[in-house]
Coordinates of all heavy atoms in Angstrom, one line a residue:
M15 N 18.4 7.0 8.7 CA 18.0 5.7 9.2 C 17.2 5.0 8.1 O 16.0 5.2 8.0 CB 17.2 5.9 10.4 CG 17.9 6.3 11.7 SD 16.8 5.9 13.1 CE 17.9 5.0 14.0
D16 N 17.8 4.1 7.4 CA 17.1 3.4 6.4 C 16.1 2.4 6.9 O 15.1 2.1 6.2 CB 18.1 2.6 5.5 CG 19.0 3.5 4.7 OD1 18.5 4.7 4.4 OD2 20.1 3.2 4.3
D17 N 16.3 1.9 8.1 CA 15.3 0.9 8.6 C 13.9 1.5 8.8 O 12.9 0.8 8.7 CB 15.8 0.4 10.0 CG 17.0 -0.5 9.9 OD1 17.3 -1.0 8.7 OD2 17.7 -0.7 10.9
L18 N 13.8 2.8 9.0 CA 12.5 3.4 9.1 C 11.8 3.5 7.8 O 10.6 3.8 7.8 CB 12.7 4.8 9.7 CG 13.1 4.8 11.2 CD1 13.3 6.3 11.7 CD2 12.2 4.1 12.1
G19 N 12.4 3.2 6.7 CA 11.8 3.2 5.4 C 10.7 2.1 5.3 O 9.9 2.1 4.4
R20 N 10.6 1.2 6.3 CA 9.6 0.2 6.2 C 8.2 0.8 6.4 O 7.2 0.1 6.0 CB 9.8 -0.9 7.3 CG 11.1 -1.7 7.0 CD 11.3 -2.8 8.0 NE 12.5 -3.5 7.6 CZ 13.2 -4.1 8.5 NH1 12.9 -4.2 9.7 NH2 14.3 -4.7 8.1
W21 N 8.0 2.0 6.9 CA 6.7 2.6 6.9 C 6.2 2.8 5.5 O 5.0 2.9 5.3 CB 6.8 4.0 7.6 CG 7.0 3.8 9.1 CD1 8.1 4.0 9.8 CD2 6.0 3.4 10.0 NE1 7.9 3.7 11.2 CE2 6.6 3.4 11.3 CE3 4.6 3.1 9.9 CZ2 5.8 3.1 12.5 CZ3 3.9 2.8 11.1 CH2 4.5 2.8 12.3
A22 N 7.1 2.9 4.6 CA 6.7 3.1 3.2 C 6.8 1.7 2.4 O 7.2 1.7 1.2 CB 7.6 4.1 2.5
E23 N 6.5 0.6 3.0 CA 6.5 -0.7 2.4 C 5.6 -0.7 1.2 O 4.5 -0.3 1.3 CB 6.1 -1.7 3.4 CG 6.6 -3.1 3.2 CD 5.9 -3.9 2.1 OE1 4.7 -3.8 1.9 OE2 6.7 -4.5 1.3
P24 N 6.2 -1.0 0.0 CA 5.4 -0.9 -1.2 C 4.1 -1.7 -1.2 O 3.1 -1.2 -1.7 CB 6.4 -1.5 -2.3 CG 7.8 -1.2 -1.7 CD 7.6 -1.4 -0.2
G25 N 4.1 -2.9 -0.7 CA 2.9 -3.7 -0.6 C 1.8 -3.0 0.1 O 0.6 -2.9 -0.3
L26 N 2.1 -2.4 1.2 CA 1.1 -1.7 2.0 C 0.6 -0.5 1.3 O -0.6 -0.1 1.3 CB 1.7 -1.4 3.4 CG 0.7 -0.9 4.5 CD1 -0.5 -1.8 4.7 CD2 1.4 -0.6 5.8
L27 N 1.5 0.3 0.7 CA 1.1 1.4 -0.1 C 0.2 1.1 -1.2 O -0.8 1.8 -1.5 CB 2.3 2.2 -0.6 CG 3.3 2.8 0.5 CD1 4.6 3.3 -0.2 CD2 2.6 3.9 1.2
I28 N 0.5 0.0 -1.9 CA -0.4 -0.5 -3.0 C -1.8 -0.9 -2.5 O -2.8 -0.5 -3.1 CB 0.3 -1.6 -3.8 CG1 1.5 -1.1 -4.5 CG2 -0.7 -2.3 -4.7 CD1 2.5 -2.2 -5.0
L29 N -1.8 -1.6 -1.4 CA -3.1 -2.0 -0.8 C -3.9 -0.8 -0.5 O -5.1 -0.7 -0.8 CB -2.9 -2.9 0.4 CG -2.3 -4.3 0.2 CD1 -2.2 -5.0 1.6 CD2 -3.1 -5.1 -0.7
A30 N -3.3 0.2 0.1 CA -4.0 1.4 0.5 C -4.5 2.2 -0.8 O -5.6 2.7 -0.8 CB -3.1 2.4 1.3
S31 N -3.7 2.2 -1.8 CA -4.1 2.8 -3.1 C -5.3 2.1 -3.7 O -6.3 2.8 -4.2 CB -3.0 2.8 -4.1 OG -3.4 3.4 -5.3
L32 N -5.3 0.8 -3.6 CA -6.4 0.0 -4.2 C -7.7 0.0 -3.4 O -8.7 -0.5 -3.8 CB -6.0 -1.4 -4.6 CG -4.9 -1.5 -5.6 CD1 -4.4 -2.9 -5.8 CD2 -5.4 -0.9 -6.9
A33 N -7.6 0.5 -2.1 CA -8.8 0.4 -1.2 C -10.0 1.2 -1.7 O -11.1 0.9 -1.4 CB -8.4 0.9 0.2
D34 N -9.7 2.2 -2.6 CA -10.9 3.0 -3.1 C -11.2 2.6 -4.5 O -12.0 3.3 -5.2 CB -10.6 4.5 -3.0 CG -9.5 5.0 -3.9 OD1 -8.8 4.2 -4.5 OD2 -9.4 6.3 -4.0
G35 N -10.7 1.5 -5.1 CA -11.1 1.0 -6.4 C -9.9 0.5 -7.2 O -8.8 0.8 -6.9
A36 N -10.3 -0.2 -8.3 CA -9.3 -0.8 -9.1 C -8.4 0.3 -9.8 O -9.0 1.4 -10.2 CB -9.9 -1.7 -10.2
K37 N -7.2 0.0 -10.1 CA -6.2 0.9 -10.7 C -5.2 0.1 -11.5 O -4.9 -1.0 -11.1 CB -5.5 1.8 -9.8 CG -6.4 2.8 -9.0 CD -5.5 3.6 -8.0 CE -6.3 4.5 -7.2 NZ -7.1 3.8 -6.1
H38 N -4.7 0.7 -12.6 CA -3.5 0.1 -13.3 C -2.2 0.6 -12.7 O -2.3 1.6 -11.8 CB -3.6 0.3 -14.8 CG -3.7 1.8 -15.1 ND1 -2.6 2.6 -15.1 CD2 -4.8 2.5 -15.5 CE1 -3.0 3.8 -15.5 NE2 -4.3 3.8 -15.7
G39 N -1.1 0.1 -13.1 CA 0.2 0.4 -12.5 C 0.5 1.9 -12.4 O 0.9 2.4 -11.3
Y40 N 0.3 2.6 -13.5 CA 0.7 4.0 -13.5 C -0.2 4.8 -12.5 O 0.2 5.7 -11.8 CB 0.6 4.7 -14.9 CG 0.9 6.1 -14.8 CD1 2.2 6.6 -14.7 CD2 -0.1 7.1 -14.9 CE1 2.5 7.9 -14.7 CE2 0.1 8.4 -14.8 CZ 1.4 8.9 -14.7 OH 1.7 10.2 -14.6
A41 N -1.5 4.5 -12.5 CA -2.5 5.1 -11.6 C -2.1 4.8 -10.1 O -2.3 5.7 -9.3 CB -3.9 4.7 -11.9
I42 N -1.7 3.6 -9.8 CA -1.3 3.3 -8.5 C -0.1 4.2 -8.1 O -0.1 4.8 -7.0 CB -0.9 1.8 -8.4 CG1 -2.2 0.9 -8.6 CG2 -0.3 1.5 -7.0 CD1 -1.9 -0.6 -8.7
T43 N 0.9 4.2 -9.0 CA 2.1 5.0 -8.7 C 1.8 6.5 -8.5 O 2.3 7.1 -7.5 CB 3.1 4.9 -9.9 OG1 3.5 3.5 -10.0 CG2 4.4 5.7 -9.6
A44 N 0.9 7.0 -9.3 CA 0.5 8.4 -9.2 C -0.2 8.7 -7.9 O 0.0 9.7 -7.3 CB -0.3 8.9 -10.5
D45 N -1.1 7.8 -7.6 CA -1.9 7.9 -6.4 C -1.0 7.9 -5.1 O -1.1 8.8 -4.3 CB -2.9 6.8 -6.3 CG -3.8 6.9 -5.1 OD1 -4.3 8.0 -4.8 OD2 -4.1 5.9 -4.4
I46 N -0.1 7.0 -5.1 CA 0.8 6.9 -3.9 C 1.7 8.1 -3.8 O 1.9 8.7 -2.8 CB 1.7 5.6 -4.0 CG1 0.8 4.4 -3.8 CG2 2.8 5.6 -3.0 CD1 1.4 3.1 -4.1
A47 N 2.2 8.6 -5.0 CA 3.1 9.8 -5.0 C 2.3 11.0 -4.5 O 2.8 11.8 -3.7 CB 3.7 10.0 -6.4
G48 N 1.1 11.1 -5.0 CA 0.3 12.3 -4.7 C -0.2 12.3 -3.2 O -0.3 13.3 -2.6
E49 N -0.5 11.1 -2.7 CA -1.1 11.1 -1.4 C -0.1 11.0 -0.2 O -0.3 11.6 0.8 CB -2.0 9.8 -1.2 CG -3.3 9.9 -2.0 CD -4.2 11.0 -1.6 OE1 -4.3 11.3 -0.4 OE2 -4.9 11.6 -2.5
V50 N 1.0 10.3 -0.5 CA 2.0 10.1 0.6 C 3.4 10.6 0.2 O 4.4 10.5 1.0 CB 2.0 8.7 1.2 CG1 0.7 8.4 1.9 CG2 2.4 7.7 0.1
G51 N 3.6 11.0 -1.0 CA 4.9 11.5 -1.4 C 6.0 10.5 -1.6 O 7.2 10.8 -1.6
V52 N 5.6 9.2 -1.8 CA 6.5 8.1 -2.1 C 6.4 7.7 -3.6 O 5.3 7.5 -4.0 CB 6.2 6.9 -1.2 CG1 7.1 5.7 -1.6 CG2 6.4 7.3 0.3
T53 N 7.5 7.7 -4.3 CA 7.5 7.3 -5.7 C 8.1 5.9 -5.8 O 9.2 5.6 -5.4 CB 8.4 8.3 -6.5 OG1 7.9 9.6 -6.3 CG2 8.4 7.9 -8.0
L54 N 7.2 5.0 -6.3 CA 7.7 3.6 -6.5 C 8.2 3.5 -8.0 O 7.5 3.9 -8.9 CB 6.5 2.7 -6.3 CG 5.8 2.6 -5.0 CD1 4.7 1.6 -5.0 CD2 6.9 2.3 -3.9
G55 N 9.4 3.0 -8.1 CA 9.9 2.7 -9.5 C 9.2 1.5 -10.1 O 8.6 0.7 -9.4
P56 N 9.2 1.4 -11.4 CA 8.5 0.3 -12.1 C 8.9 -1.1 -11.5 O 8.1 -2.0 -11.3 CB 8.9 0.4 -13.5 CG 9.4 1.8 -13.7 CD 9.9 2.2 -12.3
G57 N 10.2 -1.3 -11.3 CA 10.6 -2.6 -10.8 C 10.1 -2.9 -9.4 O 9.6 -4.0 -9.1
T58 N 10.1 -1.9 -8.5 CA 9.5 -2.1 -7.2 C 8.0 -2.3 -7.3 O 7.4 -3.2 -6.6 CB 9.8 -0.8 -6.3 OG1 11.2 -0.7 -6.2 CG2 9.2 -1.0 -4.9
L59 N 7.3 -1.5 -8.1 CA 5.9 -1.6 -8.2 C 5.5 -3.0 -8.7 O 4.6 -3.7 -8.1 CB 5.3 -0.5 -9.2 CG 3.9 -0.7 -9.5 CD1 3.0 -0.3 -8.3 CD2 3.5 0.2 -10.7
Y60 N 6.0 -3.4 -9.8 CA 5.6 -4.7 -10.4 C 6.0 -5.9 -9.6 O 5.3 -6.9 -9.6 CB 5.9 -4.7 -11.9 CG 5.1 -3.8 -12.7 CD1 5.6 -2.5 -13.1 CD2 3.7 -4.0 -12.9 CE1 4.8 -1.6 -13.7 CE2 2.9 -3.1 -13.5 CZ 3.4 -1.9 -14.0 OH 2.6 -1.0 -14.6
A61 N 7.1 -5.8 -8.9 CA 7.5 -6.9 -8.0 C 6.5 -7.0 -6.9 O 6.1 -8.1 -6.5 CB 8.9 -6.7 -7.5
A62 N 6.1 -5.9 -6.3 CA 5.2 -5.9 -5.2 C 3.8 -6.3 -5.7 O 3.1 -7.1 -5.0 CB 5.1 -4.5 -4.6
L63 N 3.4 -5.9 -6.9 CA 2.1 -6.3 -7.4 C 2.1 -7.9 -7.6 O 1.1 -8.5 -7.2 CB 1.8 -5.7 -8.8 CG 1.4 -4.2 -8.7 CD1 1.4 -3.6 -10.1 CD2 0.0 -4.0 -8.0
S64 N 3.2 -8.4 -8.1 CA 3.3 -9.9 -8.3 C 3.2 -10.6 -6.9 O 2.4 -11.6 -6.8 CB 4.6 -10.2 -9.0 OG 4.7 -11.6 -9.1
R65 N 3.9 -10.1 -5.9 CA 3.8 -10.7 -4.6 C 2.4 -10.6 -4.0 O 1.9 -11.6 -3.4 CB 4.8 -10.0 -3.6 CG 6.2 -10.5 -3.7 CD 7.1 -10.0 -2.6 NE 6.9 -8.6 -2.2 CZ 7.5 -7.5 -2.8 NH1 8.4 -7.7 -3.7 NH2 7.2 -6.3 -2.4
L66 N 1.8 -9.5 -4.1 CA 0.4 -9.3 -3.6 C -0.6 -10.2 -4.3 O -1.5 -10.8 -3.6 CB 0.0 -7.9 -3.7 CG 0.8 -6.9 -2.8 CD1 0.5 -5.4 -3.2 CD2 0.5 -7.1 -1.3
E67 N -0.4 -10.3 -5.6 CA -1.3 -11.2 -6.4 C -1.1 -12.7 -6.0 O -2.1 -13.4 -5.8 CB -1.1 -11.0 -7.9 CG -2.2 -11.6 -8.7 CD -2.1 -11.2 -10.2 OE1 -1.1 -10.7 -10.6 OE2 -3.2 -11.3 -10.8
K68 N 0.1 -13.1 -5.9 CA 0.4 -14.5 -5.5 C -0.1 -14.8 -4.1 O -0.5 -15.9 -3.8 CB 1.9 -14.8 -5.6 CG 2.4 -14.9 -7.0 CD 3.9 -15.2 -7.0 CE 4.4 -15.2 -8.4 NZ 5.9 -15.2 -8.5
G69 N -0.1 -13.8 -3.2 CA -0.6 -13.9 -1.9 C -2.1 -13.8 -1.7 O -2.6 -13.9 -0.6
G70 N -2.8 -13.5 -2.8 CA -4.2 -13.4 -2.8 C -4.8 -12.1 -2.2 O -5.9 -12.1 -1.9
L71 N -3.9 -11.1 -2.1 CA -4.3 -9.9 -1.5 C -4.9 -8.9 -2.6 O -5.6 -8.0 -2.2 CB -3.2 -9.2 -0.7 CG -2.6 -10.1 0.4 CD1 -1.4 -9.3 1.0 CD2 -3.7 -10.4 1.4
I72 N -4.5 -9.1 -3.8 CA -5.0 -8.3 -4.9 C -5.3 -9.3 -6.1 O -4.8 -10.5 -6.1 CB -4.1 -7.2 -5.4 CG1 -2.8 -7.8 -6.0 CG2 -3.8 -6.2 -4.3 CD1 -2.0 -6.8 -6.7
E73 N -6.1 -8.9 -7.0 CA -6.3 -9.7 -8.2 C -6.2 -8.8 -9.5 O -6.7 -7.7 -9.4 CB -7.6 -10.5 -8.2 CG -8.8 -9.7 -8.1 CD -10.1 -10.5 -7.9 OE1 -10.0 -11.8 -8.0 OE2 -11.1 -9.9 -7.7
G74 N -5.6 -9.4 -10.5 CA -5.5 -8.7 -11.8 C -6.9 -8.8 -12.5 O -7.5 -9.9 -12.5
L75 N -7.3 -7.7 -13.1 CA -8.5 -7.7 -13.9 C -8.1 -7.9 -15.4 O -6.9 -7.7 -15.7 CB -9.3 -6.5 -13.7 CG -9.7 -6.3 -12.2 CD1 -10.3 -4.9 -12.0 CD2 -10.7 -7.3 -11.8
P76 N -9.0 -8.1 -16.3 CA -8.7 -8.2 -17.7 C -8.0 -6.9 -18.2 O -8.4 -5.8 -17.8 CB -10.0 -8.4 -18.4 CG -10.9 -9.0 -17.4 CD -10.4 -8.4 -16.1
A77 N -7.0 -7.0 -19.0 CA -6.3 -5.8 -19.5 C -7.2 -4.9 -20.4 O -8.1 -5.4 -21.1 CB -5.1 -6.3 -20.3
D78 N -6.9 -3.6 -20.2 CA -7.5 -2.6 -21.0 C -6.5 -2.0 -21.9 O -5.7 -1.1 -21.5 CB -8.1 -1.6 -20.1 CG -8.8 -0.4 -20.9 OD1 -9.2 -0.6 -22.1 OD2 -9.0 0.6 -20.3
G79 N -6.3 -2.6 -23.1 CA -5.2 -2.2 -24.0 C -3.9 -2.8 -23.3 O -3.8 -3.9 -23.0
R80 N -2.9 -1.9 -23.1 CA -1.7 -2.3 -22.5 C -1.7 -2.2 -21.0 O -0.8 -2.6 -20.3 CB -0.5 -1.3 -23.0 CG -0.2 -1.6 -24.4 CD 1.0 -0.7 -24.9 NE 2.0 -0.6 -23.8 CZ 2.8 0.4 -23.8 NH1 2.8 1.4 -24.7 NH2 3.7 0.5 -22.8
R81 N -2.8 -1.6 -20.4 CA -2.9 -1.4 -19.0 C -3.7 -2.6 -18.4 O -4.8 -2.9 -18.8 CB -3.6 -0.1 -18.7 CG -2.8 1.1 -19.2 CD -3.6 2.3 -19.0 NE -2.7 3.5 -19.3 CZ -3.2 4.7 -19.3 NH1 -4.4 5.0 -18.9 NH2 -2.4 5.7 -19.6
R82 N -3.2 -3.1 -17.3 CA -3.9 -4.2 -16.6 C -4.2 -3.6 -15.2 O -3.4 -3.4 -14.4 CB -3.0 -5.4 -16.4 CG -3.7 -6.5 -15.7 CD -2.8 -7.7 -15.6 NE -3.6 -8.8 -15.0 CZ -3.1 -9.8 -14.3 NH1 -1.8 -9.8 -14.1 NH2 -3.8 -10.7 -13.7
P83 N -5.5 -3.5 -14.9 CA -5.9 -3.0 -13.6 C -5.9 -4.1 -12.6 O -5.9 -5.3 -12.9 CB -7.3 -2.5 -13.8 CG -7.8 -3.1 -15.0 CD -6.6 -3.5 -15.8
Y84 N -5.7 -3.7 -11.3 CA -5.7 -4.6 -10.2 C -6.8 -4.1 -9.2 O -7.1 -2.9 -9.1 CB -4.4 -4.6 -9.5 CG -3.3 -5.1 -10.4 CD1 -2.6 -4.3 -11.2 CD2 -2.9 -6.5 -10.3 CE1 -1.6 -4.8 -12.1 CE2 -1.9 -7.0 -11.1 CZ -1.3 -6.2 -12.0 OH -0.3 -6.7 -12.8
R85 N -7.3 -5.0 -8.4 CA -8.2 -4.6 -7.4 C -7.9 -5.4 -6.1 O -7.4 -6.5 -6.1 CB -9.7 -4.8 -7.8 CG -10.1 -6.3 -7.9 CD -11.6 -6.3 -8.1 NE -11.9 -7.7 -8.6 CZ -13.0 -8.0 -9.3 NH1 -13.8 -7.1 -9.8 NH2 -13.2 -9.3 -9.6
L86 N -8.3 -4.8 -5.0 CA -8.2 -5.4 -3.7 C -9.1 -6.6 -3.5 O -10.3 -6.5 -3.9 CB -8.5 -4.3 -2.7 CG -8.0 -4.4 -1.2 CD1 -6.5 -4.5 -1.1 CD2 -8.5 -3.2 -0.4
T87 N -8.6 -7.7 -2.9 CA -9.5 -8.8 -2.6 C -10.0 -8.6 -1.1 O -9.5 -7.7 -0.4 CB -8.8 -10.1 -2.7 OG1 -7.7 -10.1 -1.7 CG2 -8.2 -10.4 -4.1
A88 N -10.9 -9.5 -0.7 CA -11.4 -9.4 0.7 C -10.2 -9.7 1.6 O -10.1 -9.0 2.7 CB -12.5 -10.4 0.9
A89 N -9.4 -10.6 1.3 CA -8.2 -10.9 2.1 C -7.3 -9.7 2.2 O -6.7 -9.4 3.2 CB -7.4 -12.1 1.6
G90 N -7.1 -9.0 1.0 CA -6.3 -7.8 1.0 C -6.9 -6.6 1.9 O -6.1 -5.9 2.6
A91 N -8.2 -6.5 1.8 CA -8.9 -5.5 2.6 C -8.7 -5.8 4.1 O -8.4 -4.9 4.9 CB -10.3 -5.4 2.3
A92 N -8.8 -7.1 4.5 CA -8.6 -7.5 5.9 C -7.2 -7.2 6.3 O -6.9 -6.7 7.5 CB -9.0 -9.0 6.1
E93 N -6.2 -7.5 5.5 CA -4.8 -7.3 5.8 C -4.5 -5.8 6.0 O -3.8 -5.4 6.9 CB -3.9 -7.9 4.8 CG -2.4 -7.8 5.1 CD -1.9 -8.5 6.3 OE1 -2.6 -9.4 6.8 OE2 -0.9 -8.0 6.8
L94 N -5.0 -5.0 5.1 CA -4.8 -3.6 5.1 C -5.4 -3.0 6.4 O -4.8 -2.2 7.1 CB -5.5 -2.9 3.9 CG -5.4 -1.3 3.9 CD1 -3.9 -0.9 4.0 CD2 -6.1 -0.8 2.7
S95 N -6.6 -3.5 6.8 CA -7.3 -3.0 8.0 C -6.5 -3.4 9.2 O -6.3 -2.6 10.1 CB -8.7 -3.6 8.1 OG -9.3 -3.2 9.3
S96 N -6.0 -4.6 9.2 CA -5.1 -5.1 10.4 C -3.9 -4.2 10.5 O -3.5 -3.8 11.6 CB -4.8 -6.5 10.2 OG -3.9 -7.0 11.1
Q97 N -3.2 -4.0 9.4 CA -1.9 -3.2 9.4 C -2.2 -1.8 9.8 O -1.4 -1.2 10.6 CB -1.2 -3.3 8.1 CG -0.7 -4.7 7.8 CD 0.4 -5.2 8.7 OE1 1.2 -4.4 9.2 NE2 0.3 -6.4 9.1
A98 N -3.3 -1.2 9.3 CA -3.6 0.2 9.6 C -3.9 0.4 11.1 O -3.5 1.3 11.7 CB -4.7 0.7 8.7
T99 N -4.7 -0.6 11.6 CA -5.0 -0.6 13.0 C -3.8 -0.6 13.9 O -3.6 0.1 14.9 CB -6.0 -1.7 13.4 OG1 -7.2 -1.5 12.6 CG2 -6.3 -1.7 14.8
R100 N -2.9 -1.5 13.5 CA -1.6 -1.7 14.2 C -0.8 -0.4 14.2 O -0.2 0.1 15.2 CB -0.8 -2.9 13.7 CG 0.5 -3.2 14.4 CD 1.3 -4.3 13.7 NE 1.7 -4.0 12.4 CZ 2.7 -3.3 12.0 NH1 3.5 -2.8 12.9 NH2 3.0 -3.1 10.8
M101 N -0.7 0.2 13.0 CA 0.0 1.4 12.8 C -0.6 2.6 13.6 O 0.1 3.4 14.2 CB 0.2 1.8 11.4 CG 1.1 0.8 10.6 SD 1.0 1.0 8.8 CE 1.6 2.6 8.6
Q102 N -1.9 2.6 13.7 CA -2.7 3.6 14.4 C -2.4 3.5 15.9 O -2.1 4.5 16.6 CB -4.2 3.5 14.1 CG -5.0 4.6 14.7 CD -6.5 4.4 14.3 OE1 -7.0 3.3 14.4 NE2 -7.1 5.5 13.9
R103 N -2.3 2.3 16.4 CA -2.0 2.1 17.8 C -0.6 2.6 18.1 O -0.3 3.2 19.2 CB -2.2 0.6 18.2 CG -3.7 0.3 18.4 CD -3.8 -1.1 19.1 NE -3.1 -2.2 18.5 CZ -3.6 -3.1 17.7 NH1 -4.8 -3.1 17.4 NH2 -2.8 -4.0 17.2
L104 N 0.3 2.2 17.2 CA 1.7 2.6 17.4 C 1.8 4.2 17.4 O 2.6 4.8 18.2 CB 2.6 2.0 16.4 CG 4.1 2.4 16.4 CD1 4.7 2.2 17.8 CD2 4.9 1.8 15.3
A105 N 1.2 4.8 16.5 CA 1.2 6.3 16.4 C 0.6 6.9 17.6 O 1.2 7.9 18.2 CB 0.4 6.7 15.1
A106 N -0.5 6.4 18.1 CA -1.1 7.0 19.3 C -0.1 6.8 20.5 O 0.0 7.7 21.3 CB -2.4 6.3 19.6
L107 N 0.4 5.6 20.7 CA 1.4 5.3 21.7 C 2.6 6.3 21.7 O 3.0 6.9 22.7 CB 1.9 3.9 21.7 CG 3.0 3.5 22.7 CD1 2.5 3.6 24.1 CD2 3.5 2.1 22.3
S108 N 3.1 6.4 20.5 CA 4.3 7.3 20.3 C 4.0 8.7 20.6 O 4.8 9.4 21.3 CB 4.8 7.2 18.8 OG 5.1 5.9 18.5
L109 N 2.9 9.2 20.1 CA 2.5 10.6 20.4 C 2.2 10.9 21.8 O 2.6 11.9 22.4 CB 1.3 11.0 19.5 CG 1.6 11.1 18.0 CD1 0.3 11.3 17.3 CD2 2.6 12.2 17.7
D110 N 1.6 9.9 22.5 CA 1.3 10.0 23.9 C 2.6 10.0 24.7 O 2.8 10.9 25.6 CB 0.4 8.8 24.4 CG 0.1 8.9 25.8 OD1 -0.5 9.9 26.2 OD2 0.4 8.0 26.6
R111 N 3.5 9.2 24.4 CA 4.8 9.1 25.1 C 5.7 10.3 24.9 O 6.5 10.7 25.7 CB 5.5 7.8 24.8 CG 4.8 6.6 25.5 CD 5.5 5.4 25.4 NE 4.8 4.3 26.1 CZ 5.2 3.1 26.1 NH1 6.3 2.7 25.5 NH2 4.4 2.2 26.8
L112 N 5.5 10.9 23.7 CA 6.3 12.1 23.4 C 5.6 13.4 24.0 O 6.1 14.5 23.9 CB 6.4 12.3 21.9 CG 7.3 11.3 21.2 CD1 7.2 11.4 19.7 CD2 8.8 11.6 21.6
G113 N 4.4 13.2 24.5 CA 3.6 14.3 25.0 C 3.0 15.2 24.0 O 2.7 16.4 24.2
T114 N 2.8 14.7 22.8 CA 2.3 15.5 21.7 C 1.0 14.9 21.2 O 0.6 15.2 20.1 CB 3.3 15.6 20.5 OG1 3.6 14.3 20.1 CG2 4.6 16.3 20.9
A115 N 0.3 14.1 22.0 CA -1.0 13.5 21.6 C -2.0 14.6 21.4 O -2.0 15.6 22.1 CB -1.5 12.5 22.6
P116 N -2.8 14.5 20.3 CA -3.9 15.5 20.1 C -4.9 15.5 21.3 O -5.1 14.5 21.9 CB -4.6 15.1 18.8 CG -4.1 13.7 18.5 CD -2.9 13.4 19.4
A117 N -5.4 16.7 21.6 CA -6.3 16.9 22.7 C -7.7 16.3 22.4 O -8.1 16.2 21.3 CB -6.5 18.3 23.1

């Protein structure tokens, strides 16, 4: 079911990665792969970074050599919080209806 891949939406994964501090592209990719097991290719990563930056959810910092770090903006933090809360409610509802909610 390819439609369920939306849980791994690159923009949301990037926002979550940046929630604990600024990172450059490779560090974002490594963090996401290590934490959730999703590997973003360079094209996917940089297209999502561009969309997030244009949307004001992240901002690029001055380059450090060839690496350009990004950080979460206040708007990005608010969007991540909103999406995480929505996903948490859906997860609780799903587990409850499946009869597998934690005690």
